[in-house]
Amino acid sequence: MIIDNRGLEPPQPMMRTLKALDKMNNGESLAIINDRRPMFLYEELNDRGYLHETEPLDDGSFKISITKTGD
């Protein structure tokens, strides 16, 4: 699943991402595309123990791949 959060103002991208993660099972992955690095989201993902990797894209946005692990 890919969620395109470009063009949204904070905190909408983070809220959309966490809502999608809450509906997923452990081991499932999600990719999001944001206009900027989601610094506050990183903190939340780390607190929940989720794995994440950020890739800068050519248009200046960022693709963040997240794998849901045990809550």
Side-chain angles (χ1 to χ4, degrees):
M1 176 191 311
I2 296 176
I3 297 177
D4 189 342
N5 289 321
R6 289 176 288 192
L8 299 176
E9 290 298 317
Q12 286 180 305
M14 182 170 166
M15 292 170 50
R16 289 179 76 195
T17 301
L18 292 176
K19 185 176 180 179
L21 286 167
D22 286 343
K23 294 178 181 177
M24 293 171 49
N25 295 316
N26 290 340
E28 291 184 325
S29 295
L30 166 71
I32 63 171
I33 301 174
N34 284 17
D35 290 320
R36 55 189 75 79
R37 287 183 187 270
M39 303 312 290
F40 294 112
L41 177 62
Y42 292 147
E43 292 177 26
E44 186 66 30
L45 297 175
N46 290 337
D47 287 348
R48 294 181 184 207
Y50 296 173
L51 304 174
H52 56 89
E53 182 177 311
T54 301
E55 173 188 349
L57 301 178
D58 291 339
D59 67 357
S61 62
F62 295 89
K63 178 180 177 185
I64 300 92
S65 300
I66 306 164
T67 301
K68 183 172 182 178
T69 56
D71 294 309

